[in-house]
Amino acid sequence: MNLISLQSIEPSPLHSREVLIIEESESAAARPITLKGVGSRALVKQLKALESRINHLMPLIMLDGIQRTVVFKTPGVVAVQLDAEYADPDDSDPYNITLNLIEVA
């Protein structure tokens, strides 16, 4: 299990419970990478904004310093409210988040 950071995401004090877990395959370029974790609605909004940037290359940096270049595949960001679904969720409400990425270089 590797923990990672996406440098394009701005850190926020609301994200104290956010941890992403990485799954990856053995193949080289075009390797699918799935990140799963829990984060706030504010983080979901940031991720959705990144996802809307078509073919936007992003650095994915592992805790051991290894860097990979990734883009979102479809669907790129899947977010489900952790608690009961509310009609007017708050930015601090927790979500289960799945990021679907492809390594391009």
Side-chain angles (χ1 to χ4, degrees), residues 7-93:
Q7 286 187 333
S8 300
I9 300 172
E10 295 296 322
S12 165
L14 293 176
H15 305 158
S16 61
R17 294 182 4 177
E18 294 164 4
V19 175
L20 297 177
I21 300 171
I22 187 169
E23 292 177 27
E24 55 187 338
S25 68
E26 296 292 325
S27 64
R31 170 185 5 209
I33 299 174
T34 302
L35 307 175
K36 296 182 179 187
V38 175
S40 66
R41 182 169 184 257
L43 177 62
V44 171
K45 288 178 179 179
Q46 289 179 334
L47 292 168
K48 288 288 191 179
L50 280 175
E51 180 186 24
S52 71
R53 299 170 72 184
I54 297 171
N55 292 326
H56 175 66
L57 299 178
M58 300 174 289
L60 177 68
I61 302 173
M62 312 299 271
L63 286 180
D64 60 6
I66 294 174
Q67 180 169 327
R68 298 188 169 128
T69 301
V70 298
V71 295
F72 282 108
K73 69 178 189 178
T74 304
V77 178
V78 179
V80 179
Q81 285 182 342
L82 195 58
D83 300 321
E85 291 192 24
Y86 300 108
D88 58 344
D90 188 71
D91 276 355
S92 63
D93 288 344

